[in-house]
Amino acid sequence: MGKEAHSVSAASELYKKANDILGYDLLELCIGGPKEKLDSTVISQPAIYVTSLAAVEVLRARDGGQQIIDSVDVTCGLSLGEYTALAFAGAFSFEDGLKLVKLRGEAMQEAADAAKGAMVSVIGLDSDKVQQLCDAANQEVDEADRVQIANYLCPGNYAVSGGVKGVEAVEAKAKSFKARMTVRLAVAGAFHTSFMEPAVSRLEAALAATEIRQPRIPVISNVDAQPHADPATIKKILARQVTSPVQWETTVKTLLTKGLKKSYELGPGKVIAGIFKRMDKKAEIENISA
């Protein structure tokens, strides 16, 4: 990711600003890797945040791009992407957002190191069945290894997060629950569960010291799939987000039922576009990467 940034000066400028805050050459890492380093949550979170906002600049630079940006009337982002969405909506500056994201990555990595956890995608079951699968797995492990649904991604695709033994129990039992398959996720720990509790106080302190303004357009939260305008509420929700399940399926359903006409996925990969198409084959969504 980041290859398009060279051709748009405003996009490459964001990477230069990021280097000063992060203390390393982010664009070089994004383009050249190594992949193992880029996959670590301490690096991947700033990388995705900056690359996604660089994609906004790629869109702005094209014919009619500014009009598209001006016409956007709601925004949201998956997990870390909520920070990108808030920055896009003017709730905080690019720099302040990056400082928060850097700290979020470090705090989540520390929490992951303190209590080993894992995540697995369960494919082909509805959310009730995945909950039953979690309940069955939890009967076989100690409390410290328990699992829960951490990401309600879209129908038939839910991420389960928790202790390593609990995740292994989910994988072992998935077939008997008629799951199509399970895919272990390449993440540092049990994100969006109580395993991340040690990260909350650090995030709260950083958010308390950050100026957050009312977003100029609604930003839908991952925690409750609702938009929030009050800066104090946004701060509370961002701190809670790391230990709360991501309500992405409800977010997309809400947008589609409220008559979303056209949307843009800004950032690396095309996961969001895939989810929208899966939930509504007629959904019009364009991916812009940097």
Side-chain angles (χ1 to χ4, degrees):
M1 54 182 169
K3 291 183 178 125
E4 299 288 319
H6 283 307
S7 58
V8 177
S9 60
S12 54
E13 196 55 43
L14 291 181
Y15 285 97
K16 285 183 191 140
K17 283 183 186 173
N19 295 350
D20 295 337
I21 291 166
L22 299 170
Y24 56 83
D25 191 329
L26 181 64
L27 187 55
E28 190 180 289
L29 257 179
C30 283
I31 293 172
K35 187 177 182 302
E36 309 76 62
K37 197 166 182 185
L38 206 47
D39 279 346
S40 76
T41 198
V42 170
I43 306 286
S44 67
Q45 294 203 35
I48 292 166
Y49 172 84
V50 175
T51 302
S52 300
L53 288 168
V56 175
E57 298 309 322
V58 170
L59 173 58
R60 198 192 307 275
R62 83 182 197 190
D63 275 353
Q66 186 61 53
Q67 286 95 311
I68 291 168
I69 288 166
D70 292 342
S71 73
V72 172
D73 52 12
V74 63
T75 183
C76 53
L78 178 61
S79 189
L80 163 78
E82 191 167 336
Y83 286 79
T84 316
L86 284 161
F88 175 81
F92 43 68
S93 67
F94 167 79
E95 293 85 350
D96 282 349
L98 181 55
K99 286 171 192 167
L100 287 171
V101 165
K102 176 179 184 282
L103 179 129
R104 183 181 186 266
E106 290 164 356
M108 287 171 75
Q109 184 65 56
E110 273 180 32
D113 290 343
K116 287 292 171 211
M119 292 183 78
V120 61
S121 275
V122 180
I123 312 294
L125 296 180
D126 65 29
S127 57
D128 289 344
K129 269 274 186 279
V130 177
Q131 186 55 57
Q132 288 168 26
L133 173 56
C134 290
D135 293 342
N138 286 338
Q139 285 174 355
E140 296 192 1
V141 296
D142 295 338
E143 190 148 349
D145 270 311
R146 285 191 167 182
V147 291
Q148 67 179 70
I149 301 175
N151 192 337
Y152 292 81
L153 204 58
C154 63
N157 189 344
Y158 302 97
V160 169
S161 191
V164 175
K165 284 183 181 157
V167 167
E168 286 168 352
V170 166
E171 289 168 333
K173 289 176 177 296
K175 278 280 183 277
S176 68
F177 277 78
K178 306 283 191 292
R180 200 161 84 240
M181 63 178 186
T182 59
V183 180
R184 184 73 73 98
L185 301 179
V187 294
F191 297 157
H192 297 291
T193 70
S194 57
F195 277 66
M196 291 293 113
E197 198 60 52
V200 173
S201 56
R202 282 187 65 191
L203 260 174
E204 281 174 339
L207 285 158
T210 303
E211 186 198 349
I212 294 189
R213 300 174 288 277
Q214 181 174 333
R216 61 184 171 79
I217 54 173
V219 180
I220 301 176
S221 158
N222 282 251
V223 171
D224 59 6
Q226 298 290 325
H228 299 280
D230 173 46
T233 305
I234 291 168
K235 289 182 182 191
K236 279 198 194 94
I237 274 182
L238 287 178
R240 272 178 56 209
Q241 196 224 49
V242 288
T243 57
S244 304
V246 174
Q247 301 293 340
W248 192 250
E249 182 180 347
T250 307
T251 297
V252 176
K253 267 187 194 156
T254 302
L255 289 170
L256 292 170
T257 54
K258 290 200 173 202
L260 181 72
K261 294 282 185 287
K262 163 101 195 196
S263 45
Y264 294 84
E265 177 179 12
L266 295 147
K270 295 184 177 178
V271 171
I272 306 301
I275 291 168
F276 269 77
K277 290 287 187 192
R278 185 164 180 171
M279 292 178 70
D280 180 359
K281 287 188 176 64
K282 295 196 220 64
E284 199 183 337
I285 181 162
E286 184 181 342
N287 176 272
I288 315 272
S289 52

